[in-house]
Structure formats: structure tokens, C-alpha cells
Amino acid sequence: MKLLTNYKYWILNLIGWVVFALLMLTIDKISYAGDIPINYTNYLIVEGVLCGLLGYLLSFIILFFIENFFDIGNYTKVDVYKLIGVVLVTQVIYNFLLWPLLGIPVQYYLNEGVNLTLVQKLTNVPHFLAYFLVWLFVVLTLKLVHHINTIKLRQLQLEANLKESQLNTLKGQINPHFMFNSLNNIRGLMLEDVTKARGMLTSLSETLRYSLTKSEVNSITLEDELEMVENYVEISKIQFENRLKFTTEIDPETLNKQIPPMIIQMLVENALKHGISNLKEGGEVKLSTTIKNELLQIEIINSGKLRNSENSTQVGLQNIKKRLELLYGKNAKFTLKEKEDNVVATIKMPLV
């Protein structure tokens, strides 16, 4: 924030100096003087204006030093001493110019010369110095507030860039993770049923096309995500055959809500890989969505037990947790628990 090049500052600074000088000098004298001649009142007004104008002009010397040689965010003791020195030099110039200037209205309104002794003039130095100290306090406060806001803005930008980088990294984990499992399924099917393998490849290509087109965004509608899930389930049914039963219970009001892309697919994939695949007789995966307490709730229930496999890296679950945390902070929640021979995965997130 450069005040030297800000015309609004020039105007406000001029008004501030003149009004402050009139309040502290002219009005103070008038209020204690009682009945005074009109010419003396006029003189006091001119005196206040001249003091304010001179202070206004000389304040630019101090401001020039602050904006070019004094870093409000990284100053040293030497810088402070230099600033004090500049203020004192400005005071010398102010008092050196002020008294000859005041001699003009004295001659005009009072028809007499300025006969103040040196001691009388020196006793006014602290009074005039107070003007500059008040102005300096205001300017340094403005500079400090701007510096703090700049730091906050940079911190927010860094946090936003970090979140974006982390999200991109997490998105990059989705497609390889999904492809690895799907290609393994196709490999196992190639020697058994070429026709089914061809159908599986077609569904896989549609799924990958969808996932690649959505990888550049942080959110999609739930309706679009369900299309992706249906394709994935079709691929999985070729592998599981009659061992997989997939049902949905979707609240129509949730279809247009925004969710992170492929987050439901990863839940379904986790349910199949760690739930249905471990059951010889197969099982059921049920997907439901609803709105409760102004939160979008997505629930996946699959047959099986909640167990930790030594071969599982839990990439999908960690991915889901981290993406929800980055996108929604504490406003989103992901839970995974076992209930009556079923595993229940639940996501709650703000409505978007």
C-alpha cells in the first residue's frame, strides 16, 4: 500500500491536518479566551490553517522515508533511530518556517509584529511535535494493518495452493487404483470368456472416459456420479456373476447436489473388494442417499465383516477421508463401521 501515490490519502491527510490543528490550537484558544475581538478570532483561524497546511506538507518527508526506507514488517533498531531522526529534522524545519509564516497574519489582523522570545517559541515545540506523533501513529497503524492483511492473504493463497496440489495428487491416485483392479479382473476373464472380457473392456473404457473428463473439477452432481457407479457395477458383475446384488435407494432431491467426483465409486469398489469378494456365496451392496439435518448423507451397506487385510493399503478410504477434509474441513464426516453382519460406510457433507 503506497500512500504517496494515493490521491485519496492526500485529500484525507489534508483535511485531517487542518481540522486537527484547528481543534487543538484555534478552538482551544477561543474557548478559553472568552469575549475576543473578531479580528483576533480571524487570526486564530488563519493560524490554525497555516499550522495544519505546514504540517501536511512536511508530513510527506516522513512518509517518503517510511515508504522507501522503513519496512514495517522487517525493521531494525537502526531503522527506528533513523525514523526518529527524520521526525526530529522535520520538527526543526517546521518550527523554522512556522514563525515567519505566522508573522504575516499577525501583521494583517493585529497590526503588530511577532515578539515571542526564543524560550516562548521552544515551549511550543512539544505541542507541535504532538501533531506529528498523532499523524505518525495513524500512518504506522494503517501500514501495520495492511501488512497483517497481506500476510493473511498470502497465507490463504499458500493454503489454497497446497490444498489444490493435494487434491490433484489424490485425484491422480483414483484412476491408477481403479484401473489396476479392473485390468486384473479382465486378465482373469480373458482365458475364460472372450465375449464377456470384450464387454468388460467396453464398460471400462466408458468408465475411464468419464473419470478423465471429470478429473479437472472438484465437484460433480450426484446424478453424474451415479452414472459412473452403474458402469462400474456392470464391470464388477461380469466378475462376480450371480454373487453380487446391487440395489439403490436414491432421494430425488439429492440428484442435483454436488459431491467430489468418484467418491461413491470408491466406496462401492471398497465394498466389493473387501466385502463381497470374501464371501463364497456373495452378498448385497446397497447404495442410498438422503438429506438429513441440512447435510447430504451417502450410505453404502455391504454384506461382510469389517476386517483389516494385511495386503490392503486402504488407499481408497484414505483418499476419501483426505479429499473430504480438504474440501469441507470439519463440516464433512466419513465413518466406517460394522452392524449386524454388514459393513456400513457413511459420508455426511454440506449441501452444495
Side-chain angles (χ1 to χ4, degrees):
M1 178 180 64
K2 288 290 186 180
L3 297 178
L4 279 174
T5 57
N6 191 328
Y7 74 92
K8 292 182 180 179
Y9 163 78
W10 295 359
I11 297 172
L12 292 175
N13 190 36
L14 174 60
I15 295 173
W17 269 102
V18 173
V19 171
F20 186 74
L22 285 172
L23 288 174
M24 297 297 294
L25 187 64
T26 305
I27 296 179
D28 181 67
K29 288 183 178 179
I30 293 175
S31 62
Y32 283 99
D35 295 332
I36 56 176
I38 186 64
N39 61 328
Y40 188 65
T41 301
N42 292 334
Y43 161 74
L44 291 178
I45 294 174
V46 174
E47 179 188 43
V49 172
L50 286 176
C51 288
L53 286 174
L54 185 58
Y56 165 75
L57 293 173
L58 294 178
S59 69
F60 280 93
I61 296 176
I62 306 174
L63 183 60
F64 178 83
F65 173 81
I66 292 174
E67 295 202 332
N68 290 277
F69 305 102
F70 190 86
D71 186 355
I72 194 70
N74 187 30
Y75 60 86
T76 63
K77 287 184 178 179
V78 176
D79 295 328
V80 175
Y81 294 148
K82 288 180 180 179
L83 178 59
I84 293 173
V86 172
V87 173
L88 293 178
V89 170
T90 305
Q91 286 301 292
V92 173
I93 299 173
Y94 182 85
N95 287 276
F96 180 79
L97 296 177
L98 179 64
W99 298 109
L101 283 175
L102 292 182
I104 298 174
V106 167
Q107 290 284 354
Y108 184 80
Y109 290 104
L110 305 180
N111 296 318
E112 58 184 36
V114 179
N115 298 317
L116 294 178
T117 64
L118 179 61
V119 174
Q120 289 175 315
K121 292 179 180 179
L122 290 176
T123 57
N124 284 281
V125 171
H127 181 82
F128 296 133
L129 176 61
Y131 294 3
F132 283 87
L133 292 180
V134 170
W135 169 85
L136 184 61
F137 174 78
V138 173
V139 169
L140 290 180
T141 300
L142 290 174
K143 291 285 186 181
L144 181 60
V145 170
H146 177 73
H147 178 70
I148 293 174
N149 289 336
T150 301
I151 291 176
K152 288 182 178 179
L153 179 61
R154 289 176 181 174
Q155 184 176 1
L156 289 173
Q157 290 174 338
L158 287 174
E159 290 177 357
N161 290 337
L162 177 60
K163 283 187 176 181
E164 187 65 27
S165 177
Q166 290 175 322
L167 282 171
N168 288 335
T169 301
L170 292 171
K171 289 175 187 176
Q173 293 176 353
I174 295 174
N175 290 335
H177 181 67
F178 171 67
M179 279 203 54
F180 176 79
N181 292 323
S182 298
L183 289 176
N184 266 344
N185 292 335
I186 295 174
R187 183 184 62 181
L189 190 62
M190 286 294 293
L191 298 178
E192 298 177 10
D193 194 324
V194 176
T195 302
K196 286 185 177 181
R198 186 182 298 113
M200 193 173 184
L201 280 173
T202 301
S203 297
L204 176 62
S205 65
E206 287 297 317
T207 303
L208 290 178
R209 179 187 61 80
Y210 174 85
S211 64
L212 289 173
T213 57
K214 300 299 181 182
S215 63
E216 298 300 321
V217 296
N218 291 328
S219 65
I220 59 173
T221 64
L222 187 140
E223 185 175 16
D224 288 341
E225 175 79 353
L226 292 179
E227 179 184 343
M228 161 72 172
V229 172
E230 290 292 340
N231 280 331
Y232 176 76
V233 170
E234 287 302 314
I235 294 172
S236 301
K237 281 182 176 180
I238 297 176
Q239 175 192 1
F240 289 99
E241 297 180 335
N242 296 328
R243 295 173 56 225
L244 171 60
K245 181 181 179 182
F246 180 76
T247 60
T248 61
E249 188 175 320
I250 308 299
D251 185 343
E253 293 186 5
T254 65
L255 291 175
N256 64 341
K257 304 305 179 184
Q258 295 287 319
I259 63 171
M262 297 188 74
I263 201 165
I264 297 180
Q265 181 271 327
M266 296 188 79
L267 283 177
V268 173
E269 180 180 351
N270 187 74
L272 297 181
K273 181 179 178 182
H274 301 290
I276 307 303
S277 63
N278 294 323
L279 301 175
K280 185 177 181 180
E281 70 282 5
E284 179 182 2
V285 175
K286 181 180 179 181
L287 164 64
S288 64
T289 64
T290 186
I291 296 175
K292 291 184 178 179
N293 300 322
E294 297 184 352
L295 291 174
L296 173 61
Q297 179 173 306
I298 301 169
E299 188 173 77
I300 302 286
I301 302 176
N302 66 270
S303 306
K305 297 286 187 180
L306 187 59
R307 66 186 75 180
N308 291 324
S309 173
E310 294 181 358
N311 298 324
S312 173
T313 59
Q314 294 191 326
V315 172
L317 297 181
Q318 294 300 326
N319 187 300
I320 292 171
K321 292 178 181 179
K322 193 63 177 178
R323 289 168 72 200
L324 289 173
E325 178 185 344
L326 289 171
L327 290 170
Y328 307 108
K330 296 181 179 180
N331 296 323
K333 186 178 181 181
F334 172 65
T335 58
L336 186 67
K337 61 184 179 180
E338 184 178 325
K339 184 179 179 181
E340 300 177 355
D341 293 329
N342 288 311
V343 176
V344 182
T346 307
I347 291 177
K348 295 180 181 180
M349 67 180 71
L351 296 174
V352 181

